[in-house]
Amino acid sequence: MMDVAAQAGVSQTTVSLVLNDAMGARLSHETRHRVLAAAKELGYRLIRRGPSRTSATSTGAIGFMADEFSTDPWCALALDGVREKAWEFGLTVSVAVTRGDAGMEQAAHAQFLNQPLLGLIYATIQTRRIEPTPALARLPVVLLNCYAADRSLPSIAPGEVLGGRMATKRLIQAGHTRIGLIEGETWMDAMRDRLKGYRQALASHEIPFDPHLVRPGNWEPSAGYAQTHELMKLRQPPTAIFCANDLMALGCFEALKELGKRIPEDVAVIGYDDREIAQFMRPPLTTMLLPHFEMGTLAVEYIIDHARRPEKRPAQIKVECPLVERASVQKMAAQ
């Protein structure tokens, strides 16, 4: 699948969606054609195993351990992807949530080791670096939304730099050069990478970086509201605002409406995450999709394809964050 992805110029997730003929995948006819043509040229054939005719539990299971499950939807979305893909292979999923408690994690590891697991998916709710414990080395493991500092374990994470670049590029393509950015907490990997992508997009279009257009936030609507007011007080206010998540975009919308600004006619807004609320904002929010469902399916594929054939260099996979077009960005009117 990686070879097909490289030849077709797409992600491994896209290859999986095309070859599995996934329902609801937002892929163009041209992209599907490129993937199918590359697979044919390389002689790759997808083996459709399907659910086992015998009891699924008799064929084994995959472990899924998460540090948190209820504060945000990301681990739940990843688990949905894990469960669906695992069942295609006749596998069930055994789940443990540790809430960051070292003792609970140790107990969960011990429980997993007593089961006939094909492998373990170790997930975190925030994209971050982890220090692998010795227990992780006792099972074939894939890190999900996290990574080891020495890259000694395979990992799957969102392509946040590319996501930040694509969000900013969408605003540039609409004709904007004064683009504000309302950040999340900058100690987080996700925010550092989204900022990096923002700066890369500006640089590649020869738009100077203006630090006054970058405002501190905290992922909450209140930050989007307050920092939008600060951005619009500038002598040259932005004509577009990139909010680093959808909740801050919600606050941004309220501030712009309070100031009498129309979205997107006066100020375009793009968000990030594609939370459910994004489609119900008025106008509906253009945003970037966090691909946790696809990450979960890839983690299962990796365990099945690679756990019993260890590689010298464990794969470090970045999954692209697709643009979700709605109505909060439009081409600027000629000045």
Side-chain angles (χ1 to χ4, degrees):
M1 272 193 170
M2 289 182 179
D3 294 336
V4 174
Q7 179 140 328
V10 299
S11 71
Q12 189 178 352
T13 302
T14 299
V15 173
S16 177
L17 292 173
V18 172
L19 298 183
N20 281 291
D21 197 23
M23 299 262 315
R26 296 184 291 270
L27 301 171
S28 68
H29 174 75
E30 191 270 338
T31 297
R32 292 179 184 275
H33 177 75
R34 286 208 322 271
V35 170
L36 293 172
K40 182 177 180 180
E41 184 177 341
L42 293 170
Y44 178 82
R45 294 183 181 180
L46 181 68
I47 300 173
R48 299 184 182 277
R49 296 167 177 83
S52 171
R53 292 183 180 273
T54 60
S55 168
T57 54
S58 70
T59 63
I62 288 176
F64 183 93
M65 182 186 295
D67 60 352
E68 184 54 80
F69 213 76
S70 58
T71 57
D72 272 314
W74 314 130
C75 278
L77 284 170
L79 178 57
D80 282 345
V82 168
R83 285 190 299 208
E84 286 195 18
K85 180 56 66 174
W87 185 239
E88 288 182 24
F89 293 86
L91 300 168
T92 56
V93 181
S94 182
V95 181
V97 181
T98 66
R99 303 188 71 86
D101 184 283
M104 191 178 295
E105 182 170 318
Q106 187 177 5
H109 274 300
Q111 196 170 43
F112 282 142
L113 287 168
N114 289 326
Q115 299 179 40
L117 292 185
L118 188 64
L120 173 67
I121 297 168
Y122 184 94
T124 58
I125 202 159
Q126 295 176 358
T127 307
R128 61 183 176 88
R129 183 178 67 187
I130 67 162
E131 296 296 333
T133 62
L136 281 178
R138 299 176 65 185
L139 278 171
V141 66
V142 176
L143 304 181
L144 190 65
N145 205 36
C146 55
Y147 58 92
D150 60 1
R151 309 293 177 172
S152 59
L153 295 173
S155 69
I156 300 173
E160 301 280 19
V161 175
L162 178 59
R165 187 161 72 238
M166 294 303 296
T168 310
K169 182 180 177 182
R170 176 67 186 91
L171 297 172
I172 294 170
Q173 288 173 335
H176 299 278
T177 57
R178 293 284 293 171
I179 300 172
L181 171 63
I182 301 178
E183 298 182 295
E185 293 164 297
T186 54
W187 58 267
M188 295 176 65
D189 283 23
M191 188 60 244
R192 288 197 297 266
D193 285 349
R194 292 174 198 180
L195 173 61
K196 189 181 298 182
Y198 167 83
R199 298 192 65 157
Q200 286 179 1
L202 296 179
S204 65
H205 290 83
E206 298 183 343
I207 299 172
F209 173 73
D210 183 349
H212 296 100
L213 288 173
V214 179
R215 304 297 305 177
N218 61 4
W219 309 115
E220 298 296 330
S222 57
Y225 176 85
Q227 296 306 331
T228 297
H229 274 287
E230 293 302 313
L231 284 169
M232 301 311 292
K233 288 177 184 176
L234 295 173
R235 187 172 60 86
Q236 288 185 283
T239 60
I241 299 175
F242 172 18
C243 296
N245 79 337
D246 294 344
L247 292 180
M248 290 194 297
L250 183 64
C252 174
F253 268 42
E254 291 305 309
L256 290 173
K257 291 174 182 177
E258 192 174 274
L259 293 167
K261 301 294 183 182
R262 298 170 301 164
I263 306 166
E265 293 86 354
D266 299 325
V267 182
V269 180
I270 194 166
Y272 209 107
D273 293 350
D274 194 30
R275 284 179 179 264
E276 187 175 5
I277 194 174
Q279 60 188 302
F280 299 111
M281 294 166 66
R282 292 293 176 264
L285 179 67
T286 296
T287 186
M288 306 300 294
L289 171 70
L290 267 179
H292 285 276
F293 182 91
E294 288 78 9
M295 287 161 54
T297 66
L298 280 176
V300 174
E301 289 177 354
Y302 191 93
I303 284 176
I304 291 170
D305 291 341
H306 299 280
R308 291 177 176 173
R309 295 183 292 114
E311 300 175 335
K312 291 183 180 178
R313 296 182 63 183
Q316 310 295 314
I317 300 171
K318 295 283 189 178
V319 182
E320 64 189 79
C321 301
L323 175 69
V324 181
E325 284 279 10
R326 292 198 180 99
S328 63
V329 178
Q330 71 175 26
K331 194 166 184 64
M332 287 184 70
Q335 299 295 315

